[in-house]
């Protein structure tokens, strides 16, 4: 006679079945043989989000490579207004000097000369007027250097400061070379004809700007520019054609080099403080806005 055990909530199980599988009672957890498979996640249930750390380290975005922009080597009305307007003025005076009435041109150049007599009579007038002409025309070396050097300098320190560097070097070098001539004539070391000489052009200002720009460039550009300026000065001194003007070129280059600390301070003021890492573009960190 077969005995049967009736399980709770289930059909009766025979002896063979009881030996094959243990009897499980409902409502009792952790029974032997109660291997419950983990429930599979629902198909439409979203995955659990991973733990988000409190501080997420954001890798800095690599900077874009700046494309070469050769047009920035030349002056523009909006980018470099001082150099652009000055270049237009020099083009006009140079064309008039080439095609104008020779007698009128000669009178204008004589009246603009920064010799001792004119400096004693109207120093400010002749210091400005002498810089309105380009000795040698538009294709001279100093005219081409003016175009590129003043453009690069103005893009770094601004138009007003570039004008201060140019005219400051022009005026100081002119006075430093002409005043000794006046003292030598008064002492009898030079004839009276030395008081009247034709001296005009932009070369002193350009040489000052060459020396100034070299201090704002990286080393691989600074030293070639200084070597080129030094070779120009040295070649003029060795030729001994106009030693007073050539010594003025050497002094102008030295004045530009001596102004490096001031120029670097001006450039730092113009560029403003560097933004903090991780807050690039934050409005509160831009110069001129209160935090």
């Amino acid at each position: 006679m077969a005995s049967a055990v009736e399980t709770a909530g289930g059909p009766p199980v025979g002896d063979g079945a009881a030996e094959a599988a243990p009897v499980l009672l409902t409502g009792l957890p952790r029974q032997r043989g109660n291997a419950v498979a983990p429930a599979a996640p629902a198909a439409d249930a979203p995955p659990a989000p991973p733990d988000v750390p409190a501080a997420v380290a954001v890798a800095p975005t690599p900077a874009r490579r700046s494309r070469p922009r050769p047009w920035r080597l030349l002056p523009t009305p909006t980018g470099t207004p001082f150099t652009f307007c000055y270049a237009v003025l020099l083009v006009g005076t140079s064309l008039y000097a080439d095609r104008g009435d020779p007698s009128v041109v000669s009178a204008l150049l004589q009246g603009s000369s920064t010799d001792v007599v004119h400096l004693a009579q109207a120093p400010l007038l002749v210091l400005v007027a002498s810089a309105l002409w380009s000795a040698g025309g538009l294709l001279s070396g100093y005219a081409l250097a003016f175009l590129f050097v003043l453009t690069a300098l103005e893009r770094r320190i601004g138009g007003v400061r570039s004008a201060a560097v140019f005219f400051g070097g022009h005026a100081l070098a002119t006075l430093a070379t002409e005043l000794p001539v006046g003292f030598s004539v008064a002492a009898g070391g030079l004839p009276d004809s030395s008081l009247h000489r034709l001296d005009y052009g932009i070369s002193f200002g350009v040489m000052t700007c060459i020396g100034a720009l070299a201090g704002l460039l990286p080393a691989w550009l600074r030293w070639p520019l200084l070597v080129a300026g030094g070779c120009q000065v040295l070649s003029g001194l060795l030729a001994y054609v106009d030693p007073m003007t050539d010594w003025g070129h050497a002094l102008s280059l030295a004045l530009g080099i001596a102004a490096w600390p001031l120029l670097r301070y001006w450039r730092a003021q113009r560029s403003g403080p560097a933004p903090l890492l991780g807050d690039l573009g934050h409005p509160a960190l831009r110069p001129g806005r209160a935090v």
Side-chain angles (χ1 to χ4, degrees):
M1 179 177 178
S3 63
V5 179
E6 183 178 358
T7 60
V13 181
D15 294 340
E19 294 177 358
V23 178
L24 302 180
L25 301 179
T26 59
L28 298 179
R30 293 186 180 179
Q31 301 177 59
R32 290 186 178 181
N34 187 11
V36 182
D44 54 350
D51 295 337
V52 180
V56 179
V58 180
T61 305
R64 295 181 178 179
R65 290 185 177 180
S66 58
R67 297 179 179 178
R69 293 175 288 181
W71 60 86
R72 289 178 61 86
L73 298 176
L74 298 175
T76 59
T78 56
T80 54
F82 167 69
T83 306
F84 182 83
C85 295
Y86 203 163
V88 171
L89 180 61
L90 289 176
V91 169
T93 56
S94 298
L95 291 177
Y96 184 78
D98 291 338
R99 304 181 181 182
D101 187 358
S103 60
V104 176
V105 172
S106 178
L108 289 174
L109 294 179
Q110 289 288 344
S112 303
S113 176
T114 53
D115 52 29
V116 177
V117 174
H118 286 100
L119 285 174
Q121 295 173 353
L124 293 179
L125 178 62
V126 294
L127 283 173
V128 174
S130 62
L132 302 180
W133 307 90
S134 176
L138 294 176
L139 297 180
S140 64
Y142 286 107
L144 296 177
F146 169 88
L147 199 63
F148 294 104
V149 171
L150 264 294
T151 299
L153 185 63
E154 186 173 358
R155 291 192 185 279
R156 285 162 174 80
I157 63 174
V160 176
R161 291 165 177 171
S162 297
V165 172
F166 180 88
F167 287 106
H170 171 75
L172 290 176
T174 299
L175 294 175
T177 52
E178 291 293 345
L179 290 180
V181 174
F183 293 145
S184 297
V185 171
L190 291 175
D192 293 343
S193 59
S194 300
L195 300 176
H196 303 272
R197 59 188 300 270
L198 196 59
D199 188 11
Y200 65 92
I202 59 174
S203 59
F204 287 174
V206 171
M207 290 300 294
T208 304
C209 291
I210 289 176
L213 177 62
L216 303 178
L217 296 177
W220 66 276
L221 286 175
R222 176 186 308 144
W223 299 114
L225 182 61
L226 287 178
V227 168
C231 289
Q232 177 65 27
V233 171
L234 187 60
S235 62
L237 291 174
L238 293 178
Y240 207 73
V241 176
D242 190 357
M244 190 178 69
T245 301
D246 296 328
W247 279 112
H249 291 158
L251 178 60
S252 301
L253 186 64
L255 287 173
I257 296 175
W260 283 2
L262 179 61
L263 296 170
R264 290 168 179 171
Y265 173 73
W266 282 348
R267 183 178 63 176
Q269 278 191 329
R270 181 177 173 85
S271 59
L276 298 178
L277 184 61
D279 289 316
L280 299 178
H282 195 282
L285 296 178
R286 292 177 183 172
R289 296 192 180 185
V291 179

